[in-house]
Amino acid sequence: MITVNEAKQLVYSQAKPLGNIWVPLVDAAGMVAAEDIQSPIAMPSFTQSSMDGYAIQMKNIDAILPIQDELPAGSSKQLQLKEGYCVKVFTGGPVPLGADCIIQKEWVNNLGETIQIVGKTNELGLNIREMGSSVEKGDWVIARGTCLHPYQLAMLASLGISEVLVHRAPSTTLIITGNELVKPGESLAFGQVYESNSIGLVSALKAAGVKNVSILYVKDNLAETATAIRNALNESDIILLTGGVSVGDYDYVAKAAAQEKVDMLFHGVKQKPGKPLFFGKQNEVLVFGLPGNPSSVLHCFQQYVKPAIELMQGKHPVPTIQAMLTAPYSKKPGLDFFLKAYYQEGMVTILPAQASYQVSAFSKANCWVELPMDEALFNQNQLVTVHLF
């Protein structure tokens, strides 16, 4: 059995960035740019009005100005403003050549064929967006290694870009093991429990940017487990098994993985929950055997699987934070404890119901508190490490 830090280092050392793929912008949120991106156009690509109003020359602001024409948004006309005239313009529409300010319509009396300006200004360029004032053609707008968020994707779309080259997210297979499992919505017989790990893991995978997820359900059977692993090894970058990972009579994950020539890198970590955690590899496919209890599954996912996924996508794992305990806590030494907790404004409260099978704390929990293996007593206001969900 190895320590948490040793286990993490082994996982991190095996998680390599995957190949690159082109994806539409609509699918790229949370993915990492695999190249620097330049703007193919100037933005705006023409001189625009930022207001509904009238384009004029400032020197004529006190005059009664005939309306020469109008230029709505989307107009392809490029007008030359006549001396002593104005042009009616609209937000986002082009500005006529020769105009040096836009007077917003609220400052204007419309007299039919002419206007009189009642709101005075001497600000040249008022309400005019110059060509390239947001982005110049050829500007570098996204650096390689950037984790793309919706605002950046909207910016790229405004520049006419429709797809981006990103690090591929790992395809993943979930293998849910157990004779006792029943899908939610069905009736429970005596001795059965509802299967929830697939819901939690698929949701966590989607949040981590993994959309290609297959789910297999197998009984506690060596041949069935081995077949599922064999099939998954041919089509996945990551395999996650839940349950069957300990050393009981009906725990077949480690045996089935060995049978399918998965190289075991560790089996057992000095932690609670999730002590029986299994990690192995065949070629470039990572194989995680997660304990079956929901708390153990979600803890092991956050501490080991999620960082591996992030590294495979070219991301940096999310750093931890420090917070002060709201109450003292004691534990037995010898294991790192990861406890369901609630974090708010620099303070963290360890919640009740910490057994790995207990799920009620998740109704309020928003983090794990990590307590080091060699310490037993933790004081109120003591700083501890917090892993936010």
Side-chain angles (χ1 to χ4, degrees):
M1 192 176 298
I2 63 175
T3 68
V4 167
N5 285 337
E6 289 169 338
K8 287 183 177 181
Q9 290 308 311
L10 278 170
V11 171
Y12 297 171
S13 69
Q14 301 301 319
K16 308 296 184 185
L18 300 173
N20 303 331
I21 56 171
W22 289 94
V23 298
L25 292 185
V26 71
D27 295 326
M31 305 188 84
V32 175
E35 64 176 2
D36 297 325
I37 302 176
Q38 286 179 285
S39 176
I41 63 168
M43 181 65 182
S45 57
F46 56 92
T47 303
Q48 289 181 337
S49 173
S50 64
M51 287 281 183
D52 291 351
Y54 296 85
I56 69 165
Q57 290 181 316
M58 181 68 70
K59 66 183 182 179
N60 297 322
I61 195 168
D62 294 320
I64 301 296
L65 300 175
I67 301 173
Q68 174 185 337
D69 205 335
E70 67 176 42
L71 289 172
S75 173
S76 60
K77 290 192 295 185
Q78 188 170 39
L79 292 179
Q80 176 71 47
L81 178 63
K82 295 179 182 178
E83 178 64 35
Y85 280 75
C86 69
V87 171
K88 190 175 184 179
V89 294
F90 299 84
T91 303
V95 175
L97 298 173
D100 56 21
C101 70
I102 305 293
I103 304 301
Q104 62 203 66
K105 65 179 184 179
E106 292 85 358
W107 292 5
V108 170
N109 283 336
N110 190 312
L111 306 175
E113 299 296 323
T114 62
I115 65 166
Q116 181 180 24
I117 299 168
V118 294
K120 303 302 182 180
T121 180
N122 59 3
E123 183 182 345
L124 290 173
L126 179 67
N127 299 323
I128 292 177
R129 302 169 182 163
E130 295 292 345
M131 178 178 176
S133 57
S134 176
V135 177
E136 292 282 3
K137 182 177 180 179
D139 280 355
W140 297 100
V141 291
I142 295 291
R144 182 176 61 180
T146 300
C147 186
L148 298 166
H149 57 64
Y151 302 101
Q152 293 168 328
L153 297 174
M155 175 194 68
L156 293 176
S158 73
L159 300 175
I161 295 170
S162 62
E163 59 181 6
V164 286
L165 185 69
V166 297
H167 294 291
R168 180 172 63 83
S171 58
T172 303
T173 296
L174 304 184
I175 302 175
I176 310 296
T177 75
N179 296 331
E180 75 281 14
L181 302 178
V182 175
K183 292 182 180 180
E186 299 180 3
S187 297
L188 281 179
F190 181 77
Q192 293 181 322
V193 298
Y194 284 121
E195 191 280 304
S196 62
N197 287 329
S198 62
I199 300 298
L201 286 173
V202 168
S203 300
L205 287 164
K206 287 182 178 179
V210 178
K211 301 178 178 67
N212 184 5
V213 182
S214 301
I215 307 177
L216 304 173
Y217 298 91
V218 302
K219 298 297 184 182
D220 291 320
N221 176 281
L222 177 59
E224 197 171 335
T225 305
T227 298
I229 292 174
R230 185 185 319 129
N231 293 336
L233 285 168
N234 293 324
E235 56 190 37
S236 306
D237 300 301
I238 293 178
I239 301 173
L240 304 179
L241 297 104
T242 68
V245 75
S246 192
V247 291
D249 292 345
Y250 294 92
D251 291 321
Y252 295 113
V253 167
K255 293 176 184 177
Q259 183 174 304
E260 298 306 315
K261 298 181 172 53
V262 174
D263 295 327
M264 184 187 77
L265 297 176
F266 63 79
H267 188 189
V269 180
K270 294 178 182 179
Q271 63 180 5
K272 183 178 181 179
K275 186 163 63 173
L277 177 66
F278 172 95
F279 177 62
K281 185 179 182 183
Q282 188 196 91
N283 297 323
E284 298 304 314
V285 181
L286 305 185
V287 181
F288 293 88
L290 312 178
N293 283 317
S295 293
S296 300
V297 165
L298 294 171
H299 157 250
C300 290
F301 179 89
Q302 179 160 352
Q303 296 299 317
Y304 304 96
V305 181
K306 184 181 176 183
I309 290 170
E310 290 168 339
L311 291 168
M312 295 170 87
Q313 294 183 93
K315 299 179 183 178
H316 299 291
V318 176
T320 59
I321 64 172
Q322 297 288 302
M324 291 191 294
L325 287 173
T326 59
Y329 192 86
S330 63
K331 72 173 186 65
K332 293 181 180 180
L335 297 176
D336 278 308
F337 274 44
F338 291 85
L339 303 170
K340 299 178 281 285
Y342 179 75
Y343 169 82
Q344 185 177 31
E345 296 180 352
M347 304 297 293
V348 65
T349 300
I350 296 173
L351 300 171
Q354 290 293 333
S356 60
Y357 75 93
Q358 293 177 310
V359 296
S360 59
F362 285 124
S363 64
K364 187 174 182 181
N366 61 8
C367 67
W368 297 96
V369 166
E370 181 177 359
L371 302 181
M373 61 186 301
D374 294 330
E375 296 183 47
L377 299 175
F378 300 84
N379 300 317
Q380 185 177 6
N381 295 328
Q382 182 173 338
L383 282 175
V384 292
T385 297
V386 172
H387 304 262
L388 295 173
F389 290 174

